[in-house]
Amino acid sequence: MTTETLTFSDLALSAPVLKAVTKVGYEVPSPIQAAAIPALLAGKDIVGLAQTGTGKTAAFALPMLSQVDVTKSHTQILVLAPTRELAIQVAEAFQRYASEMSGFHVLPIYGGQDMRGQLRQLKRGAQVVVGTPGRVMDHLRRNSLDLSKLTNLVLDEADEMLRMGFIDDVSWILEHTPATRQTALFSATMPKEIRRVATTYLREPEEIRIANESKTGANIEQVYWMVSGTNKLDALTRILEVEPFDAIIMFVRTKTATVELAEKLEARGYSAAAINGDMNQQLRERTIERLKNKKLDILVATDVAARGIDVERVSHVINYDIPYDSEAYVHRIGRTGRAGRSGKAILFVAPREKRLLFAIEKATSQRIEAMKLPSGDTITAARVDQFFQGINEVLESDQDLSFFDDLLGNYCREKEIEPEKLAMVMAYLLQKDRPLQVKLADIKPDPVREKRERSDRGERSDRGERRSRGPEEGMKRFRIEVGRNHNARPGDIVGAIANEAGLQSRQIGQIKLFDTFSTLDLPNDMDAAMAQKIASIHVRGQVLSLSEDRGPARKGAGAPGGSFKPRNKKKKFANTK
Ligand code: AMP
């Protein structure tokens, strides 16, 4: 890590912000935070190349909040985010970091949300507004959002906003804010359109990118599990049941999480302990000593606390929370495979953190393979194995069993039962609290793994082409025959459908513009009459001709439900013109 000794208190954050950060349990600033916070506090514009999971939200929220004037209710900070989910998430983060600032208000605004409620809340005033570009533009046009005293503006996931066709809206909004504002742009990638926004609207921005050249040892097997279908703790428990491990170091992000996870593991019968930066050196060393001496099998650690730990028997590293960057990843997994032994590193990746996984693979020039969570049958087999192992150990030892010989022999004779029957009953009793036979619900397949397996089979991948989030629950993806080449904008499409088909904007989901067509998410219970009405609407002179989206031509992924029918078989709702 690049943040060897830096702490949050070194960063000149305001007292209430610092207090909130301490409360949240962050130990040290992440690399992007260590670089961005001083620059933003110094009043500079920044361009941050960072993806979700790097701690980028706190990287702008903490310094900006440190400068907010809570005695005034006008909007001082505006964050533009591509999706409603991100807007909500960022607003929640602001709320958390401002927990010690009374009189503070943050307001998320996004399309599909009740307009009247938003207007009311805007009137009441919020120092921070986090919104999607379309809705922010709406409010600016209606004069319901006043940005005349705006001091800070953030473009979050700028490349995603570009991909979703919001870039003109973003420029328009930038032009309607004071030129004196401080601007921070965050983007995982830097396509030329984003570069152009940065050069046009930012003042000599400081570019922040986290060094990403790292090497991992070849003696460490690396796998990841995409969090889906079950929570991380249950997944972890399943893995621990079947992984033959000696000792494990697990990594989490916060001090609080080290303690919580260690307690949960202990409650499940593992000998686990937490190690974090709150512990003094002596206690920390004593804990590591216990791991060495096999008094402890699992250590739950933060990056800082685990730095430099060198214990040969560590057979596994589990990244329960994904690290901020590949450098931290390399440090973490280097805690296993010590002294020439082999080791295994398991990484948990939430769907939102997918890009961080790709970044780690890229930086380490190594592919991390997807793992399947052990099934009920696999866990059963492991438990049965253990059960027999216990029996074998006694058989092979010189344990005196004569007392039991008499006891059970007599019992069988008295009850007139076969010794086999008795063995069954005893086996049943032995495992009652922890049944040998495990039945588990099947876990949903991991979309990234599926996609990779498809591309491994030589099928076309949609990466870079129609890479996108799938539709939200209750929505289905459709295709309409108007796109960028027709100068269509998401706002035009939403407006036309809302006005002409009478669909509420809340019912209109994600829109993605492509050159000659667009995709659009609509409720999957929409009736045929509504579909036909939408199909006949004109936007920019083009009839929409709504049809179910089948994803990129033929074999490509991206279509909901994994249907890859050729395009010419698509279901049309109308052929009006
Ligand atoms: P982000 O990249 O902003 O989406 O943040 C990813 C996650 O990292 C969030 O769950 C944050 O709460 C967490 N996080 C951010 N900064 C820190 C930090 N300095 N220490 C520990 N966790 C952090």
Side-chain angles (χ1 to χ4, degrees):
M1 299 230 320
T2 45
T3 49
E4 219 53 70
T5 48
L6 194 75
T7 67
F8 278 106
S9 40
D10 297 327
L11 285 177
L13 294 166
S14 74
V17 168
L18 194 57
K19 198 164 163 202
V21 170
T22 312
K23 219 167 70 179
V24 179
Y26 297 166
E27 199 161 51
V28 285
S30 72
I32 187 95
Q33 291 162 2
I37 294 174
L40 288 172
L41 285 174
K44 288 190 199 146
D45 283 0
I46 64 163
V47 169
L49 272 143
Q51 42 244 319
T52 299
T54 51
K56 67 179 164 60
T57 316
F60 60 80
L62 301 180
M64 291 185 180
L65 275 175
S66 293
Q67 293 166 317
V68 157
D69 182 353
V70 279
T71 63
K72 307 264 162 48
S73 65
H74 65 259
T75 303
Q76 299 160 44
I77 302 174
L78 172 70
V79 182
L80 292 179
T83 61
R84 147 203 178 133
E85 295 77 48
L86 186 64
I88 293 172
Q89 204 178 307
V90 169
E92 284 170 355
F94 266 99
Q95 195 69 60
R96 214 166 34 240
Y97 303 140
S99 62
E100 300 293 318
M101 295 164 61
S102 64
F104 172 81
H105 293 287
V106 53
L107 183 62
I109 55 173
Y110 43 83
Q113 202 187 19
D114 168 44
M115 197 55 155
R116 263 172 315 177
Q118 263 175 32
L119 290 171
R120 209 170 38 240
Q121 282 175 298
L122 279 169
K123 216 172 206 152
R124 221 177 286 149
Q127 292 93 354
V128 179
V129 170
V130 188
T132 49
R135 201 33 89 93
V136 168
M137 215 159 87
D138 267 5
H139 282 293
L140 284 173
R141 287 214 178 99
R142 285 169 177 249
N143 288 325
S144 42
L145 175 62
D146 178 9
L147 297 181
S148 60
K149 293 188 200 141
L150 191 80
T151 49
N152 308 75
L153 193 146
V154 181
L155 306 178
D156 200 5
E157 297 194 358
D159 50 353
E160 199 62 25
M161 291 201 273
L162 171 73
R163 203 163 15 244
M164 294 179 67
F166 290 142
I167 206 68
D168 295 339
D169 297 359
V170 168
S171 304
W172 188 91
I173 294 166
L174 278 159
E175 273 156 24
H176 286 76
T177 57
T180 49
R181 59 158 206 273
Q182 177 181 48
T183 313
L185 184 158
F186 288 89
S187 198
T189 57
M190 220 5 101
K192 61 178 188 311
E193 294 89 337
I194 299 297
R195 180 70 62 199
R196 196 174 318 127
V197 168
T199 44
T200 315
Y201 298 102
L202 272 64
R203 270 172 294 140
E204 297 168 27
E206 183 169 311
E207 188 159 313
I208 294 170
R209 70 172 77 213
I210 304 307
N212 255 343
E213 276 143 45
S214 330
K215 272 273 149 285
T216 50
N219 57 334
I220 303 170
E221 180 193 350
Q222 301 174 54
V223 295
Y224 77 89
W225 175 63
M226 182 69 64
V227 182
S228 61
T230 188
N231 66 42
K232 291 207 267 191
L233 186 63
D234 287 342
L236 179 65
T237 325
R238 281 200 196 191
I239 292 171
L240 292 182
E241 284 238 21
V242 301
E243 275 296 326
F245 69 86
D246 195 357
I248 305 182
I249 299 187
M250 285 184 198
F251 285 92
V252 293
R253 286 216 161 160
T254 63
K255 292 181 270 194
T256 342
T258 59
V259 178
E260 278 171 12
L261 186 58
E263 278 172 1
K264 285 182 182 144
L265 288 168
E266 280 207 289
R268 282 168 171 70
Y270 294 101
S271 66
I275 180 167
N276 62 49
D278 270 356
M279 295 162 61
N280 62 35
Q281 186 63 16
Q282 204 188 359
L283 188 54
R284 191 175 156 259
E285 276 166 16
R286 217 180 310 141
T287 311
I288 297 171
E289 205 52 40
R290 283 171 58 214
L291 187 74
K292 270 190 193 150
N293 301 339
K294 307 193 176 185
K295 298 212 170 71
L296 204 61
D297 294 326
I298 302 177
L299 215 56
V300 187
T302 53
D303 286 299
V304 197
R307 211 175 273 154
I309 292 184
D310 187 1
V311 177
E312 280 180 32
R313 65 181 282 259
V314 174
S315 57
H316 288 67
V317 163
I318 298 184
N319 290 287
Y320 192 79
D321 295 332
I322 196 167
Y324 312 111
D325 59 7
S326 41
E327 205 183 326
Y329 176 79
V330 173
H331 276 279
R332 286 180 175 192
I333 72 167
R335 300 308 106 218
T336 180
R338 311 295 293 181
R341 298 188 184 198
S342 60
K344 183 164 178 181
I346 300 174
L347 172 65
F348 283 4
V349 185
R352 280 191 60 80
E353 297 159 345
K354 222 162 42 187
R355 287 212 186 161
L356 220 46
L357 165 70
F358 298 144
I360 290 172
E361 288 185 319
K362 200 166 154 220
T364 56
S365 315
Q366 227 170 45
R367 174 135 152 194
I368 304 176
E369 296 299 331
M371 69 175 282
K372 282 199 177 102
L373 276 196
S375 65
D377 287 348
T378 314
I379 298 175
T380 300
R383 289 190 182 181
V384 168
D385 237 32
Q386 243 177 30
F387 176 75
F388 285 125
Q389 211 176 316
I391 294 176
N392 289 340
E393 272 166 28
V394 180
L395 284 178
E396 284 156 21
S397 70
D398 45 13
Q399 177 69 44
D400 177 11
L401 299 170
S402 51
F403 172 75
F404 301 97
D405 189 7
D406 293 346
L407 188 76
L408 301 177
N410 288 339
Y411 184 83
C412 285
R413 273 188 299 278
E414 254 169 51
K415 287 272 174 191
E416 293 182 5
I417 57 164
E418 296 299 320
E420 283 88 354
K421 183 80 184 178
L422 177 63
M424 279 184 241
V425 174
M426 291 183 61
Y428 164 75
L429 286 175
L430 251 169
Q431 53 94 65
K432 226 167 114 203
D433 293 335
R434 188 169 173 268
L436 289 182
Q437 206 179 5
V438 180
K439 290 206 180 71
L440 288 168
D442 277 341
I443 299 231
K444 276 192 279 175
D446 147 19
V448 173
R449 186 177 65 216
E450 285 214 312
K451 209 187 287 179
R452 286 179 164 197
E453 284 171 356
R454 266 204 305 274
S455 75
D456 284 351
R457 289 196 301 267
E459 294 170 20
R460 218 168 99 186
S461 142
D462 70 339
R463 250 168 106 179
E465 196 182 334
R466 286 180 68 175
R467 181 173 32 181
S468 68
R469 302 191 176 113
E472 276 178 41
E473 210 166 299
M475 297 287 235
K476 193 151 94 185
R477 187 147 297 171
F478 292 87
R479 170 185 163 120
I480 45 178
E481 306 304 321
V482 63
R484 253 188 307 242
N485 292 353
H486 312 111
N487 294 324
R489 291 155 41 130
D492 304 331
I493 298 168
V494 177
I497 296 177
N499 292 333
E500 293 179 40
L503 212 61
Q504 292 179 346
S505 55
R506 154 166 59 82
Q507 296 172 286
I508 306 174
Q510 239 186 86
I511 296 183
K512 275 197 208 80
L513 296 182
F514 296 89
D515 287 345
T516 57
F517 69 98
S518 305
T519 64
L520 146 86
D521 298 349
L522 293 169
N524 53 20
D525 58 358
M526 179 176 67
D527 61 26
M530 175 62 81
Q532 282 196 5
K533 214 187 274 177
I534 297 174
S536 61
I537 291 174
H538 286 73
V539 172
R540 302 268 167 184
Q542 300 299 118
V543 67
L544 295 186
S545 288
L546 186 75
S547 60
E548 274 180 40
D549 179 50
R550 297 293 185 189
R554 273 166 282 275
K555 278 189 196 144
S563 145
F564 307 112
K565 295 207 186 91
R567 212 183 264 312
N568 56 13
K569 287 214 188 120
K570 74 189 169 184
K571 185 173 158 201
K572 282 263 182 200
F573 290 99
N575 271 321
T576 17
K577 175 86 206 194

